[in-house]
Amino acid sequence: RNNIRSTIGDSDRDETKTHLAHIKQLNLKYDKIKTEFFGKKVVVAHDKLNRVSGILQKISAFAQYLKETPTAWQRKQIVLVQIVHGWTVPNITGKRRYATNTLKFLSKQINKLVSSVNGMYGAVDYVPIRLLRNVDFYDRLILYYIADVGIVSTLKGGIDTSGLEFVAAQDERSPGVLLYSEFLSCATSLKGAITINPYDVDAVAEALKGALAMTIENRQLRLLKLVKYVRKYNAKNWASQLVQESNKMSLVKLENKS
């Protein structure tokens, strides 16, 4: 029994050490990222590489914002961190080749547009758009945490979890503002977000300008509404509703049979 207790104790100590080491590593990552963007307004977006992600529209809107707000780039005060997931496109033949070629063409368009914007508004020591590829989950949460604005510019879809991740990662004392595509079905439910039409570049640029200038009180009120939604409609809630609806359907079938 003593040997068992000793083994359990050693296991707990090992887990504690691993946990503490993980926290230390996260703190180091946070310090590094915070230092890298010190003194700048940070706009963060995370998208999969596909035709409905709205990455090109988002970058165009950011470029329009820079054009309309020259002090932002002249003073090197703002950065768009665009994270692209699934950037590596494999060489595929057969029926899926068309889709693969489409993604390759899209990635080239993104690179070209980012290079153009950075060339126009950047400097040797300033890159307005940071294009990051396949960032790990914890680095992404840190970027959300320090962000002043998060943008979800999806052109079509049901729900985009990156927007919910952004909300969950916010610091309640000084939260960022979420710009959320009106083409996502849950957009009307996210009362604290600013809904945008990704195709309307001028309007998105204006929404970005307003979000960056928003008072801390307004940002906190918006976050409270968003957090309320995220906490209520979590995976457990959706699973519970699904089970309830399934049980109702089963009862209806039984009643119809009888």
Side-chain angles (χ1 to χ4, degrees):
R1 185 178 295 177
N2 288 335
N3 289 336
I4 293 172
R5 285 179 179 174
S6 176
T7 302
I8 293 172
D10 289 341
S11 176
D12 289 342
R13 281 193 292 272
D14 289 341
E15 286 183 9
T16 302
K17 286 179 181 179
T18 303
H19 181 63
L20 291 174
H22 184 58
I23 291 173
K24 184 178 179 181
Q25 186 180 10
L26 286 178
N27 285 332
L28 289 172
K29 282 187 174 184
Y30 170 77
D31 291 339
K32 181 182 177 182
I33 293 172
K34 185 72 174 176
T35 301
E36 185 178 356
F37 296 106
F38 180 75
K40 291 181 174 61
K41 295 288 186 180
V42 180
V43 182
V44 175
H46 170 237
D47 302 280
K48 290 182 179 179
L49 182 66
N50 58 48
R51 290 173 292 177
V52 298
S53 61
I55 297 173
L56 292 172
Q57 288 77 8
K58 184 193 304 110
I59 294 170
S60 297
F62 184 71
Q64 183 65 22
Y65 166 82
L66 294 176
K67 180 182 178 181
E68 295 175 359
T69 319
T71 54
W73 59 270
Q74 289 169 354
R75 297 176 182 175
K76 306 169 185 176
Q77 291 178 331
I78 189 165
V79 174
L80 167 62
V81 181
Q82 173 63 65
I83 304 166
V84 181
H85 179 71
W87 188 268
T88 304
V89 182
N91 290 315
I92 296 175
T93 58
K95 293 181 180 179
R96 293 179 60 194
R97 189 173 65 180
Y98 173 77
T100 303
N101 290 339
T102 301
L103 292 183
K104 285 183 177 180
F105 180 68
L106 176 61
S107 66
K108 287 179 181 178
Q109 284 183 303
I110 293 169
N111 276 326
K112 186 177 180 179
L113 184 56
V114 169
S115 297
S116 175
V117 175
N118 285 340
M120 186 174 295
Y121 299 106
V124 175
D125 59 342
Y126 173 59
V127 181
I129 302 177
R130 304 283 187 90
L131 192 58
L132 306 182
R133 302 167 185 180
N134 301 323
V135 174
D136 74 43
F137 178 71
Y138 293 106
D139 283 3
R140 195 165 75 240
L141 289 185
I142 292 170
L143 284 167
Y144 286 150
Y145 182 78
I146 68 167
D148 297 279
V149 178
I151 303 182
V152 177
S153 57
T154 308
L155 306 178
K156 182 176 69 174
I159 187 169
D160 190 289
T161 56
S162 63
L164 306 184
E165 287 177 357
F166 177 84
V167 173
Q170 290 309 293
D171 180 0
E172 294 179 0
R173 296 165 298 180
S174 182
V177 180
L178 178 63
L179 306 188
Y180 203 77
S181 172
E182 65 183 29
F183 298 119
L184 289 163
S185 60
C186 68
T188 54
S189 301
L190 294 173
K191 302 297 183 183
I194 297 174
T195 53
I196 56 171
N197 177 351
Y199 291 108
D200 192 339
V201 171
D202 293 331
V204 176
E206 194 62 31
L208 177 58
K209 192 184 300 182
L212 290 167
M214 195 177 291
T215 63
I216 189 168
E217 292 81 12
N218 199 345
R219 286 186 279 133
Q220 287 173 333
L221 285 172
R222 285 180 175 275
L223 180 67
L224 283 174
K225 294 176 182 178
L226 289 167
V227 168
K228 185 178 179 181
Y229 176 85
V230 171
R231 286 178 178 171
K232 182 178 180 180
Y233 296 103
N234 53 30
K236 184 178 179 180
N237 179 277
W238 289 117
S240 177
Q241 287 188 18
L242 185 63
V243 171
Q244 288 176 19
E245 291 300 320
S246 178
N247 289 337
K248 287 179 183 178
M249 290 295 292
S250 297
L251 287 171
V252 169
K253 287 181 179 178
L254 287 172
E255 288 175 0
N256 289 337
K257 286 181 179 179
S258 60

